Amino acid sequence: MASYKPIYEFSKLTRIFHWIRAIAIFALIATGFYIAYPFLAPDNFSGEPTGFLYALMRSWHLIFGFLLIAISIFRIYLFVFTKECSFERKSFLDFINPIVWIKILKTYMLLGGHPHMKGAYNPLQLATYMFVMFLIVAICLTGLILHANVYHEGLGGFIAPAMKSLEVVFGGIANVRLWHHILTWAFVIFIPIHIYMASWNATRFPGSGIDTIVSGVKFEKEEQ
């Protein structure tokens, strides 16, 4: 009988931040689409200043937006500086290895087994997650530009000069809004692919996959 050894892959904070970020992204997609197209209206015909569903959705969008920004900043800090994420940083050793790239591509094409990884991610996973982090930074920046154009005091007023410069780079506030919407669709496309690939990896190679982002531990077969 084959024996397996546990490997601590993701720290507690990494796992907590992953799920908070997932909740924030789902909430932002839902509220964002409502802001773009308010397809529901409160059943209120009295003329009283109540039932502002659009304002409520906008408030939740702001709350989860700033939550996503805060979590992403802390997540980058954890990945780059903390000892707990050293196993994740080791993934770069495989990322720069062309032989590992060939092996992992063969794995996904069902032409071979899963190669041994030095870190938490295989090269394709690391490239994907780096791209997703770029998307998060981009959608947060476009969101801050839109925020500064509406709220001229407090944080909005503080970041307005920097956001105005970025607005010019995008070619105007209309283009900022368009890119914010396009980036939202990038997440809509990514999420089901991410869930499928994580499930596929966990099913095909037991001991890794979805369960590691819950428990933080994966299991590898011990060499005899």
Side-chain angles (χ1 to χ4, degrees):
M1 180 181 293
S3 59
Y4 291 82
K5 59 180 179 180
I7 296 177
Y8 190 63
E9 190 169 36
F10 298 119
S11 68
K12 183 181 293 185
L13 279 179
T14 297
R15 286 174 277 143
I16 292 173
F17 284 175
H18 173 275
W19 292 111
I20 294 177
R21 189 165 50 180
I23 293 170
I25 289 173
F26 275 107
L28 286 166
I29 290 173
T31 55
F33 276 124
Y34 182 84
I35 292 171
Y37 182 74
F39 52 88
L40 292 175
D43 186 13
N44 176 28
F45 301 101
S46 66
E48 294 295 325
T50 58
F52 293 129
L53 182 58
Y54 189 90
L56 179 63
M57 290 293 182
R58 190 182 186 91
S59 297
W60 280 111
H61 195 75
L62 290 175
I63 291 169
F64 281 107
F66 283 112
L67 177 63
L68 178 63
I69 292 172
I71 289 296
S72 298
I73 292 173
F74 280 117
R75 182 66 180 92
I76 293 173
Y77 172 82
L78 287 175
F79 182 83
V80 176
F81 296 107
T82 63
K83 181 180 179 181
E84 288 78 5
C85 292
S86 60
F87 190 62
E88 293 181 70
R89 292 194 294 272
K90 288 181 180 179
S91 302
F92 283 103
L93 298 175
D94 293 320
F95 185 79
I96 60 177
N97 189 334
I99 296 176
V100 179
W101 268 100
I102 293 172
K103 288 182 178 180
I104 201 64
L105 290 175
K106 289 174 64 178
T107 299
Y108 284 121
M109 291 187 289
L110 306 180
L111 298 176
H114 200 293
H116 175 74
M117 297 289 108
K118 291 183 173 65
Y121 312 112
N122 67 53
L124 192 58
Q125 287 175 326
L126 184 60
T128 302
Y129 296 153
M130 290 172 63
F131 178 69
V132 170
M133 183 55 68
F134 168 78
L135 291 179
I136 290 176
V137 172
I139 202 167
C140 288
L141 283 176
T142 54
L144 287 173
I145 296 171
L146 295 172
H147 179 79
N149 269 268
V150 176
Y151 300 93
H152 300 148
E153 297 181 354
L155 178 62
F158 178 75
I159 65 175
M163 295 302 106
K164 194 65 180 178
S165 299
L166 287 175
E167 179 187 328
V168 173
V169 172
F170 277 98
I173 195 65
N175 285 340
V176 172
R177 186 175 288 106
L178 176 62
W179 275 108
H180 196 69
H181 190 75
I182 291 172
L183 290 167
T184 301
W185 275 106
F187 282 100
V188 172
I189 295 171
F190 166 75
I191 289 171
I193 296 175
H194 173 61
I195 294 174
Y196 171 77
M197 292 305 297
S199 303
W200 179 86
N201 194 60
T203 303
R204 184 168 174 81
F205 304 104
S208 62
I210 296 176
D211 46 338
T212 58
I213 203 61
V214 176
S215 65
V217 178
K218 73 173 183 178
F219 295 89
E220 284 190 354
K221 185 181 293 186
E222 289 185 320
E223 297 182 359
Q224 302 297 328

